[in-house]
Amino acid sequence: MRRALRGPTLSFRGDPFRLPFEEAVHFRPDALIVIEDGVIVAVEDAATALAALPADIEVDHYPDAILSAGFIDAHVHYPQMQMIGAYGDELLAWLEKYTFVAEQDFADAAHASDVAGRFLRELLRAGTTTAAVYCTVHPGSVEAFFTESERFNTRMIAGKVLMDRNAPEALRDTAETGYEQSKALIERWHGRGRQLYCVTPRFAPSSTEAQLEEAGRLWREHPGTYLQTHLCENRGEIDWVRQLFPERSSYLDVYDHAGLTGPCAIFGHAVYMDETDFACCHRTGSALAHCPTSNLFLGSGLFKMVEARRTDRPVHVALGTDLGAGTAFSQLQTMNEAYKVAKLGGTTLTPAQAFWLATRGAAEALHLDDRLGTIEPGKEADIIVLDPKATPLLEFRSAYCRDLSETLSVLMTLGDDRAIRATYVAGERVYDRERKEAFCYAGEGQTQ
Ligand code: GUN
Ligand code: ZN
C-alpha cells in the first residue's frame, strides 16, 4: 500500500537545546513524503519528486499547513478523563477525593472500553499519536485500552497500575497478584502490533517495598518493556515518602534501590529534583516527563528544564499532559504552559525546543527514535497536519509572523486541537477535521 503526502514539513536534525535553530530544525517548504506499508520510504522536494511518482499513487496535498511527526505524550492517565478539572485540592487530597473514586469505575469492562475509545479519539484530535498511559489496577482496563489502540493501529505504551497500600481496598492488588497480572498482560500485549507494555507502580507511597521489588524483577525479566511512575511532584508527597522509606537517601533512591531506574524508565513530574537526582537520571538513562498543565493546576511547582537538559549531563525529557490533573489533551497547549513555567523559573523555552520535546526529543527519551519522532525514510508514518490558520485569530496573527520560529511560537501559544487538520497513523488518515465522520479505524481509512 503506497500513498504520499505533500506540503511544508517540519522535522529535526538535532537537539535545539544544544544547536542553533537553523542546525536543529529541518524545514522543507514543499516536500513529498512517500509512504509504503505504514513506513516513510522517501522525503524529497516536491518539485523534483512528483515527476518520478507513479500516476496511481494518491497524494494528499496540504499547501498551507505544516506536516510534523505526530506528538508524543509521555505521561497521561486515561481513566481520569471523567474528572478533568476537579478543583480545589493539592495532589494527595485530590487523589483521595476524586482520582481513587473515578478509577473504581474501571472494574466495569464496558465503562473501560467506552472511555478508552473516547480517550484515543481525543488524543488523535489533538495530534498525539503515541502516549505512555496509566490504566487502573484492573487488568481489564489495560485490555480495553490496548484493544481500542489496536483498532487505530496507534503505537501506545500502557500498563496496569500497581498499588498494594494507601489506596481504597477496591483499588489494591498485592505484590504477587500485581506481578502475575502484569506478566500475563505483557505476554498478551507487549509487541503485539504496535502496542508496548509499561510496568506501572503508581508511586512510592502506594506500593510496599515488596511490590516495588517485584516491579523491578518483572521489568528486568521483560527487556523492551517500559517502567513508569511518579516522582517528586509535591512537597507533601515527598515528606510522606521520607516517612515511609526512612532508610533511603531520597525519593528517587527508593526507585533506584528497587531496580526501577534505567533506559525506558519514565518519571512523571520530577519538580523537586536536586543535583544528585538529575545525575542519577543522567547516569541511568532514565527519562523525565514534564507535565506543566498539571503542575500548574494542582499548584505542585515549577519543573527545572534548563537544569534537566544541562549539556554536560543531559537528562532525557519529554512532555506529558498528565490528564486528569492536567487540563488539555493538546501538546500545543502543553508547550504553551511549559513556556510559562520556564518563564516563571527565570528561563526561556524556545519554540524549536518545545516542538522537539513533543516529537524527536520524546522519541529519544523513550528509545523509539529509530521508529518515531521525525519525518525521514525508515520512520513509521505517524504524521500530523498543523494548520497555522485554524482559527480567525490564528490566521490573523500568523500573517504577521516573519519566520518559521515565530509561526511555531504562535501555534504553541494560540493553537489547540483546532490546529490539527488531520492525523495519520502508520500512513493512514485516522482523523480528518474536515470530514463529517472525523475518525476512522485503521484499514477503513483509504475508502473515505
Ligand atoms: N501521583 C500518584 N498518582 C497520581 C496521579 O494519578 N496523578 C498525579 N498527578 N500524580 C499522582
Ligand atoms: Zn500522573
Side-chain angles (χ1 to χ4, degrees), residues 75 77 230 269 322:
H75 182 116
H77 302 252
H230 295 83
H269 303 290
D322 191 35

Side-chain angles (χ1 to χ4, degrees), residues 77 80 91 94-95 99 202-203 230 233 269 294 298 322 325:
H77 302 252
Q80 295 177 17
L91 174 65
W94 173 90
L95 279 174
T99 315
R202 177 174 220 117
F203 69 155
H230 295 83
E233 176 177 3
H269 303 290
S294 166
L298 291 179
D322 191 35

Side-chain angles (χ1 to χ4, degrees), residues 38 133 222 259 290 325 345 427:
V133 180
H222 296 90
H290 171 32

Side-chain angles (χ1 to χ4, degrees), residues 168-215:
E169 168 94 61
L171 290 182
R172 288 206 300 264
D173 53 13
T174 67
E176 275 135 47
T177 59
Y179 174 92
E180 290 302 335
Q181 290 169 347
S182 304
K183 186 171 152 69
L185 287 163
I186 291 171
E187 281 159 9
R188 183 161 159 74
W189 285 105
H190 184 68
R192 171 166 151 181
R194 303 185 78 202
Q195 313 313 315
L196 298 167
Y197 195 83
C198 193
V199 178
T200 308
R202 177 174 220 117
F203 69 155
S206 57
S207 287
T208 58
E209 193 162 353
Q211 181 162 66
L212 295 177
E213 296 282 341
E214 285 297 87

